[in-house]
Amino acid sequence: MIQFINMLLIGIGAGSIYALMAIAMVLVWRSTRVINFAQAGMALLSTYIGFELVQKTGNFWIALPLAMILGALFSALVEILLIRTLIKHSTSGPVAGIVPIIATLGLLGVIRATIGFIWGNQDIQIQPPLSKVGFKVGEETIALSPMNLLVLLTVVGMVIILGFIFQKTNLGLSLRASAYSPEIAQLAGIRVGAIRTIGWAIAGAAGAAAGLLQTVNGTGAISPDSLEFSLLLTFGFIAAVIGGLESLPGAVLGAVVLGLVLAVVQIYISGTLVFIVAFALLLLVLLVRPQGFIGSKAGRRA
Amino acid sequence: MIRTNRRKLALTSAVLAVAAMTASSLPAQAASDPGLTSTTIKLGITVPLTGIASPGYNKIPGAMKAYFDYVNANGGVNGRKITLVVKDDQYIPTTAVAKANELILKDKVFALVGTLGTASTKAISASTQLAKRGIPSLFVNTGFSGFADPKAYPTTFSILPSYQMEAKIMGKFLKDKYADKKLALIYQDDDFGRDALAGFKQAGITFTTAIPYASGSQSLPATGAGWISKLKAAGTEVTVLFGVSSASTAALANAYAAGYKTQWVLGSVGGDATTIAATNKAYVPLLFGAKGFSFAPAPTDATDEYIKLFQSIYAAAQPTQTFDNNVVAGMSNAFVAVQALQAAGSNLTRAGLMKTIESKGASFANPFLTPLGYSATSHVGATGYWIGTYDQTGALKPDGGKYTVYTTDSGTGPVVESTYKRPAMPAKGLPN
Amino acid sequence: MLKKHPLFTFIIFGVILFLLSNRVDELRVFQGATVAIYVIAIASIILLTGYSGQVSLGHGALLAIGGYAAALSRNEWGAPVWLTFCIAVLAAALGGYLLGLAAARLSGPYLAGTTLALAIGLPSIANQFTILGGEQGLLFDIGTPPSFLGEEFTQYKWFFWIASLAALIAIYWLRNVMNSRYGRSWKAVRGNDVAAELAGINVGRNKVLAFTVSAGLAGLAGALLAMTISTVSPGAFPLALSFSLATGAVLSGVTTLGGVMIGAVTLVAIPEIVDTVVHRFESSESVANNLPGLLVSTLLILTVLFVPNGPVEQMRARHEKRAKR
């Protein structure tokens, strides 16, 4: 029984990390219809900035929001300098669909190399702000630590705050409008360009939180080549897609499902299968329920 | 006037050039192997300087260079100074082959040294046809036992003991010490882990729980926690970890987080405290009480004459880097290479060098605490392990206060306690 | 000339390559073989992207299928070399067909992400079955060059000949396919799904077919890649390879096969140039390590920003404009 409960907790804990990245992907997708393959690279850069801030201030709780703000600024800058230029130069035809994918891929390479220039290719370390020892329930230590709880609360907080912004504010209305129909939004007097930049900025902040929290929740070490970040990108993408790619709760649900499925595979089947199972899960959802758990049917079909 | 002068100049320089070419090509090039002049030896290495496997391993070439420079500053080897050409292979076999080709065909190195990774080493050997061309590949950094077989890889020399040797020695240790305990094994599900399984089988060890993991998956957030949950449920008392350091880190950190106590037994690859510390200093105390295996003196063992020397050389060459097991590995590798070049004499050739390692290699001075196994029929480097316990600082201290070394082979041979006594270090650690 | 006598042009090009291989040193010959392999792999992506509007970030996985199929057929059944390449093509095409069935239902970014997940997931299979040789991989030995070529004929020259010949045949064949009925309907699909459907083209089936053919070519490239490194292992087909190939395709221009050499040469030349420059100026280690990645990525971004259809297409368009004036 305790093993089963722990498995649930482990799965949810892992899912909450994927969720942070999935949220960032969904935000970018909703604002510009782009899957940002540089998302993990941007998160990595924010994490390095967070590392510098922790060094300077000596306090994680100051460094985290600052890194999120800087991450947001950087992400906005990317939108303004790269994505806008892309949209301006966009041609119709076969390339139009792949240009953003390739451009963000190029951005990923630039960011990695730049980090390598500045910080070198060795590991750097960030110490966790909270204990990673699980809470005690009676005699048993369960697989839920204050650190896990922080990640979970961040995810829940993000979904609530962003949900509020999207549903209840003018900004949210503009964000949604420009996502669904940029032309009509433009006609309605919404400054679509600025709204898109804001969408990217929020995603950048979410990505920064994802990078920093996943690092301190994991081994605490990163390098420009960290495997964690390639995996974070892929698993965040899988989570976002099986969740529907349009909805924030969907992304979180997708992430938790992914986390749980992998935990089950790891504990009850075999640890060798995780990568192939993740791929199979993605394919299965795309084929059986292409709109994801939560999501409208249009869009992802060719 | 100007024109005649220019023509004259052209003529003179042409004559000079021809003269220079004949002059330079005659004495130095006379029947000598590539990468060699009367004052220099050029060696080449491909290692992951970037890419997923780079952290840790990317310190190896710097460490080797530090030792070579130290030797060069003190007169070189038989009057020759060593240069090391370093190429980044990103741990991708295809890239490794391309880079090895650059080393051989463009930089024209005398020998390759310290190639890292089984797949890369195998690809380089097969594609560049090292054996056919007679190019030595010295002291490859992989525990795959195949490279020690001169029939399959005539010009390749190992330096690490094989994983199978390690598992056999570990197996004997488990049997002697924890025969009545519930044993578990966490292993990487590829050749690395599978060699270990074969070794344990030979030692007659059965594990109540065996947990394989896919290489790379140890970096996922749930992996380590999953292992611990399984170990807990099985009531494991002794857990053997035969994986890479990131897997050790994941296991130790999650055991700590889950408040789970077990007797850890760590393989040499993943049991390096300094690598774990490079990941996160906070994990070092978690090693306390764990059993570990090594064949080199611990990097923290300041009483060891080699470690003392290496530390001072490295501190001067790379003041910002920490001295860890990767550095010891790199410097030891360079040290043995220098011994081999020294022993091959001033009339150095590729064939001569390899002959020398086969005939005299077993008696080379070296930092390792186990005998070297080089002979005409085997190209194995270190041949055994000593067993120790980690203290609070993450230093591996030999059990019983002194290094007790066990040796064996990669086949069916028995595990025996070695009587080997490491010869004293040559004066100042220099070739003499 | 190319328009009127394509076969003749290809033969001339082949003869030039042949003569060239006798003139340059062995390292260049090896790099030439690598360029030829990249040409095939990039052409396979161009076919997929440029002619069917789909993109794959996991082509490395398809190359892996080809490489393993070739090595297995050689090691297990002792298949002759030419047959191992055919088997590689068929095996990868089969894999591509299955993937294509799923891919035909996915649009751009979904497919990109799915192929990305495949590139991460597939290599772990090599460790599941002992026949695949695990992490250290399998040897793939195509043997020494035939003796009538002479003692001086090196192994790499042999690789170069095989790879170049394969590339020439593949590109020639592909060029003909593109000008055939299939090629035209693929172009229609990429332009506009709905219009193609209305014109009576089965969009789904065409996409699957494009994916299958593309995968077959990728399989050939994979087998040739395995040949040059004489082994196959999971590590030889990392995510970085898939990204490089996608990069090469974009640098070449995804709408036409004409520029396929550009991407292939760039991928091989940039690390080499950086290496030379860095050694000339004795720059620091972090520059040497990170400069190639930075250059390639920057080039990639500039290309999609300013010449999204590729340099060749751009030049052609400019030429046409001028001609109209």
Side-chain angles (χ1 to χ4, degrees), chain A residues 3 6 10 14 17-18 121-128 132-134 140-142 218-221 223 225-228 231 235 262 266-272 274-275, chain B residues 49-52 54-56 58-59 189 212-217 219-226 229-230 232-233 249 256-259 277-283 321:
Chain A
Q3 194 188 10
N6 271 336
I10 290 168
I17 297 280
Y18 304 141
N121 292 71
Q122 306 282 347
D123 275 344
I124 55 149
Q125 309 176 6
I126 309 173
Q127 298 307 330
K132 291 201 273 190
V133 179
E140 281 291 338
T141 310
I142 59 169
T219 57
S223 78
D225 306 302
S226 282
L227 185 60
E228 284 88 337
L231 296 178
F235 284 65
L262 295 189
Q266 218 159 61
I267 292 172
Y268 295 110
I269 306 169
S270 166
T272 10
V274 285
F275 292 122
Chain B
L49 296 175
T50 60
I52 48 165
S54 64
N58 55 13
K59 292 169 91 169
D189 196 9
Y213 71 90
S215 166
S217 68
S219 304
L220 290 173
T223 305
S229 167
K230 257 185 145 165
K232 245 181 174 175
T249 318
Y256 168 69
T279 310
N280 199 327
K281 293 186 287 285
Y283 294 143
Q321 302 280 2

Side-chain angles (χ1 to χ4, degrees), chain A residues 238 242 274-287, chain C residues 117:
Chain A
I238 296 176
I242 60 181
V274 285
F275 292 122
I276 207 76
V277 166
F279 171 70
L281 179 67
L282 172 67
L283 209 56
L284 188 74
V285 172
L286 280 175
L287 295 182

Side-chain angles (χ1 to χ4, degrees), chain C residues 74-157:
Chain C
R74 181 118 182 114
N75 297 349
E76 299 294 317
W77 311 313
V81 176
W82 62 270
L83 189 60
T84 64
F85 292 139
C86 298
I87 291 172
V89 171
L90 292 178
L94 179 65
Y97 173 72
L98 296 176
L99 194 61
L101 286 181
R105 305 176 58 177
L106 306 173
S107 66
Y110 292 95
L111 179 59
T114 308
T115 48
L116 179 76
L118 177 70
I120 288 185
L122 196 72
S124 62
I125 290 184
N127 287 315
Q128 294 301 304
F129 306 99
T130 43
I131 192 170
L132 296 178
E135 201 65 28
Q136 50 167 294
L138 301 169
L139 279 175
F140 178 50
D141 182 10
I142 68 152
T144 48
S147 51
F148 66 81
L149 290 167
E151 274 293 299
E152 290 298 295
F153 198 91
T154 61
Q155 189 78 17
Y156 283 149
K157 208 188 271 181

